Amino acid sequence: MSKPIMITSMFPNPVGHAAQRAAMLAPALNSQAMEILSVIPGDEPEGMAAPAPHDGSRGRHVTLARCMNDVKTASATALIRYGMRCSATFEFGRLYELSLRRASEADPAAIVMGWQAHPWWPTLYNFNLLRDLSRYAMRPMLLVRQEPRRPYAHAVFASDFSDESLQTLKLATRLLPGARITIVHAYNVPGQGHMRAAGVRDDAIDACREQMESEIRRAYARTVDELGTASARLSLALLPRPTGLSVTNYVNAVGADVVILSGCQRWLVDEWCWQARARDLIGKTASDLLMITSARRA
């Protein structure tokens, strides 16, 4: 039996773009249904009968009606355009807790979320939701920021060629069957600054750089072998440091539709660096983000 795709959002953030993108991903996930969880901030009004004229819960009833209308429009669009069946759940409370609870009940193939507005820290807020839902629901988590006019065409994945990175890439190639995937690897020659200060010639430093690039290309070749036929859509981009070109700059330069993130980090220092890079990607690009946590963190 196929699993549904779950769309989650806090009203008044619209769900239309997220629902369309989820419908586009459905064939790759072998899914025929979507479930929309729309969360309304605050406590649920007592009783769902029409409130009295001066009842303070009237505003929440009006909000619920608007929320239901938004979900109804998104569901009808998904059915007409993509033939996807939609069901909806409406809850009062906090988005993260309710999304995690619903994910454990519905057992979705993936979770899709549109960009969530926040008055002070939108980048941090959306990153925390993306990271935590991916890790604790153990499902691929997609953050949609652009109107989905077409299937994803170009994805960028910053890889360190670890086992966790390979598992992320394997699932990403299945979720994005029509997309070209560029593996980006940023590197630097260890001790380059000290070598220059000590008067080491440029040709010796260049030889060290060429050796590092050869090692990276061998790691890439192993990845290609592991992926088999799926590797036909892969390419490699090397970003030597210091060049001023970060992964974020590269994503903007090539106009990638979606950035793939591996949510599994083994060491505390790696975790800190990874979070900083991920927040930079969210804050300085307009691409959608797909986070995949392939295993429990050590």
Side-chain angles (χ1 to χ4, degrees):
M1 183 177 180
S2 63
K3 297 181 179 181
I5 301 175
M6 176 177 156
I7 298 104
T8 184
S9 184
M10 175 77 82
F11 187 79
N13 298 294
V15 298
H17 290 174
Q20 287 187 57
R21 182 57 73 186
M24 289 182 180
L25 294 178
L29 291 166
N30 192 30
S31 182
Q32 291 87 41
M34 300 190 304
E35 178 169 324
I36 299 176
L37 170 65
S38 193
V39 177
I40 302 168
D43 298 326
E44 182 176 358
E46 294 182 5
M48 295 310 296
H54 302 291
D55 189 349
S57 65
R58 173 176 291 277
R60 291 200 183 103
H61 283 80
V62 172
T63 298
L64 177 60
R66 291 172 53 204
C67 178
M68 294 176 71
N69 185 64
D70 179 48
V71 171
K72 181 180 178 181
T73 301
S75 301
T77 301
L79 178 62
I80 294 170
R81 290 187 181 179
Y82 306 101
M84 293 293 294
R85 304 188 313 275
C86 294
S87 60
T89 303
F90 302 91
E91 298 275 4
F92 288 83
R94 299 182 62 181
L95 179 62
Y96 170 69
E97 287 85 352
L98 292 172
S99 297
L100 193 59
R101 187 182 74 188
R102 189 63 199 135
S104 66
E105 296 170 351
D107 189 25
I111 303 173
V112 180
M113 178 180 71
W115 182 262
Q116 304 295 296
H118 191 278
W120 302 294
W121 305 290
T123 296
L124 182 62
Y125 179 68
N126 282 272
F127 168 72
N128 287 345
L129 284 172
L130 183 69
R131 176 198 61 198
D132 294 344
L133 284 175
S134 173
R135 286 180 172 177
Y136 293 101
M138 292 298 293
R139 298 291 184 276
M141 179 76 192
L142 179 66
L143 176 63
V144 178
R145 300 199 283 174
Q146 298 293 317
E147 182 179 356
R149 299 180 181 275
R150 60 174 187 175
Y152 289 130
H154 187 193
V156 169
F157 177 44
S159 173
D160 59 0
F161 299 108
S162 63
D163 291 340
E164 291 81 6
S165 179
L166 176 61
Q167 295 306 314
T168 296
L169 191 57
K170 283 181 177 179
L171 184 52
T173 55
R174 184 168 68 85
L175 291 174
L176 310 172
R180 175 169 53 94
I181 301 176
T182 301
I183 297 177
V184 177
H185 187 84
Y187 72 98
N188 66 308
V189 178
Q192 178 175 335
H194 295 293
M195 286 190 288
R196 290 191 184 280
V200 177
R201 299 193 313 272
D202 287 345
D203 56 347
I205 297 176
D206 290 341
C208 293
R209 180 179 296 108
E210 290 172 3
Q211 181 179 355
M212 286 202 67
E213 290 185 356
S214 296
E215 292 173 359
I216 295 168
R217 293 186 189 280
R218 285 195 292 270
Y220 172 71
R222 290 193 294 270
T223 297
V224 169
D225 290 341
E226 285 281 348
L227 290 175
T229 57
S231 65
R233 295 180 285 113
L234 296 184
S235 60
L236 176 65
L238 299 179
L239 301 182
R241 296 171 179 164
T243 62
L245 184 63
S246 65
V247 175
T248 297
N249 298 141
Y250 182 85
V251 168
N252 287 327
V254 300
D257 311 91
V258 59
V259 178
I260 303 165
L261 297 174
S262 179
C264 185
Q265 306 298 316
R266 288 195 172 276
W267 308 107
L268 189 58
V269 174
D270 294 338
E271 174 76 12
W272 291 337
C273 294
W274 172 82
Q275 290 199 36
R277 291 194 298 268
R279 290 195 297 268
D280 191 63
L281 278 166
I282 294 177
K284 296 180 181 178
T285 73
S287 305
D288 294 351
L289 284 99
L290 173 63
M291 184 175 290
I292 297 173
T293 303
S294 56
R296 290 289 184 188
R297 292 177 299 154

